[in-house]
Amino acid sequence: MLKKIVLLMLGLALSLSACGNSGFANDARAIGTRRVKLPMGYIPNIQFAPFYVAVEKGYFAKEGIELEFDYSFETDGVSLVGAGELPFAVASGEQVLLARSQGLPVVYTFAWYQQFPISIISAPDLKITKPADLRGQTIGLPGLFGAAYIGLEALLFSAGLKPADVTMEAIGFTQVEAFATGQKNVVVGYTGNEPIILNSQGHPLNELRVADYVELTANGIVSSEMTIKDDPDLVRGLARALAHGIEDTIANSEEAYTISTKYIEGLAAMDKKVQMQVLTTSIEFWRAKQVGFSDPNSWQNMNELLVKMELIKEPLEVNKAFTNEFIP
């Protein structure tokens, strides 16, 4: 049952907050373009800036793709891709391995995040400065699913700790409120969200970033063996367009923010300093010598972690779970 919950719910923790609707470059309406529905795993957010930039600048249109963003929580993108109903979804590495362990032929084709974007946030008086200091702590997290759960257990294992060495409490997506009000002195959240919001509200905290201790496969583009076989140009085109969007966002975050205001309802009315910090922090996780490259070591680490967590019975053939064939 837990395995199914992880697979279904992991997409809920991809990113952060805001609301809005998508738009398309004029070129996307040219004859011969394909409308591609892309499950994002969360609602519109500044962290999706590379996609918005790539749409606005016509990079997807140039590849013959008219992108439709699907922000619905109810959409199980990985399952739809594995069933051949959609060509792509945004998902993280553990979702791919969990899906493949259940016989779904999904393949990770583009690494958007180069590092796992999860942090453990603690009150300064607890003096938690390394993973081993988590022993005996009560830790609030959305639930026993998702990237927060995966990241926390990875951090525990890195220090030689076991899940039984801490107390995990499911608090839903209320980490900011729980920490700010003192209900929880240790919570798990996204590096580009909860720590930034709490700091902006003046709450002192210590932060442990999972990426500083463990190399794991994070969020990226997932396709399927069928799409790769039958439509490799579509896979390559989407990768090329997204890579351009990432590069442009890194090169000019101010421009990316301005473009994003067209796609995220209410973004212009939010605290720009905070939203820019979210974007700047996210950019740290996107930087790569080769944009889109998926590191085999991170896949092997994720494979071993899921076995330790007893989410998969035995290691999978990770070389079949990802490919670098289509990155620019």
Side-chain angles (χ1 to χ4, degrees):
M1 177 64 72
L2 178 58
K3 189 185 299 182
K4 292 182 179 179
I5 292 174
V6 172
L7 180 60
L8 291 172
M9 297 297 294
L10 241 134
L12 298 185
L14 177 66
S15 285
L16 317 174
S17 59
C19 297
N21 47 46
S22 60
F24 306 100
N26 290 333
D27 289 345
R29 296 182 174 84
I31 295 175
T33 60
R34 290 182 56 179
R35 189 175 185 86
V36 173
K37 187 174 184 179
L38 181 66
M40 307 300 286
Y42 206 71
I43 57 180
N45 181 264
I46 189 63
Q47 289 187 63
F48 292 135
F51 291 90
Y52 304 145
V53 168
V55 170
E56 189 70 15
K57 293 192 171 185
Y59 296 144
F60 285 111
K62 184 178 179 181
E63 302 294 341
I65 298 171
E66 182 179 4
L67 207 60
E68 176 188 351
F69 298 120
D70 178 5
Y71 299 111
S72 172
F73 282 177
E74 291 77 18
T75 301
D76 186 357
V78 173
S79 293
L80 292 173
V81 169
E85 295 183 33
L86 290 177
F88 305 106
V90 175
S92 50
E94 67 272 23
Q95 291 189 63
V96 173
L97 294 182
L98 289 167
R100 290 191 67 86
S101 74
Q102 296 182 17
L104 293 177
V106 295
V107 182
Y108 188 94
T109 58
F110 185 98
W112 172 20
Y113 278 74
Q114 297 294 318
Q115 303 176 61
F116 208 70
I118 295 298
S119 289
I120 284 70
I121 304 151
S122 61
D125 58 357
L126 296 179
K127 298 181 179 179
I128 297 175
T129 59
K130 57 184 183 300
D133 296 334
L134 292 170
R135 184 189 297 272
Q137 297 294 333
T138 297
I139 304 172
L141 68 167
L144 301 186
F145 59 81
Y149 178 50
I150 296 291
L152 173 58
E153 293 227 0
L155 206 59
L156 295 175
F157 287 130
S158 76
L161 300 179
K162 299 178 181 179
D165 291 323
V166 302
T167 300
M168 300 184 194
E169 291 190 357
I171 60 173
F173 295 96
T174 64
Q175 300 100 307
V176 170
E177 180 183 357
F179 187 87
T181 59
Q183 297 176 52
K184 290 290 176 288
N185 290 322
V186 186
V187 297
V188 186
Y190 266 78
T191 306
N193 186 32
E194 283 82 5
I196 294 171
I197 294 174
L198 287 166
N199 275 321
S200 72
Q201 295 176 353
H203 300 290
L205 57 87
N206 287 344
E207 179 184 359
L208 293 178
R209 291 187 176 186
V210 171
D212 290 339
Y213 298 91
V214 189
E215 184 182 5
L216 299 172
T217 304
N219 310 122
I221 299 296
V222 177
S223 190
S224 69
E225 294 175 6
M226 299 85 75
T227 300
I228 288 173
K229 178 183 177 181
D230 299 336
D231 208 343
D233 288 341
L234 178 64
V235 180
R236 185 170 290 106
L238 186 134
R240 190 158 44 218
L242 179 55
H244 279 310
I246 292 172
E247 290 166 349
D248 284 8
T249 301
I250 292 173
N252 193 338
S253 58
E254 280 284 347
E255 177 191 52
Y257 173 85
T258 300
I259 288 174
S260 297
T261 60
K262 300 181 181 180
Y263 295 81
I264 305 171
E265 183 179 338
L267 177 61
M270 297 180 192
D271 187 328
K272 182 179 178 180
K273 183 178 179 180
V274 172
Q275 292 300 311
M276 282 299 297
Q277 183 59 52
V278 170
L279 180 56
T280 301
T281 301
S282 300
I283 284 173
E284 294 178 33
F285 289 82
W286 304 338
R287 293 186 185 278
K289 291 181 180 179
Q290 186 174 10
V291 175
F293 180 78
S294 196
D295 190 334
N297 290 329
S298 67
W299 279 100
Q300 191 56 49
N301 291 341
M302 182 67 80
N303 201 20
E304 294 172 0
L305 173 63
L306 295 182
V307 173
K308 285 183 179 180
M309 294 177 69
E310 299 182 352
L311 296 178
I312 57 177
K313 293 182 179 180
E314 57 187 11
L316 302 175
E317 295 181 78
V318 292
N319 62 309
K320 294 183 178 180
F322 76 97
T323 178
N324 284 314
E325 176 185 354
F326 299 99
I327 62 174

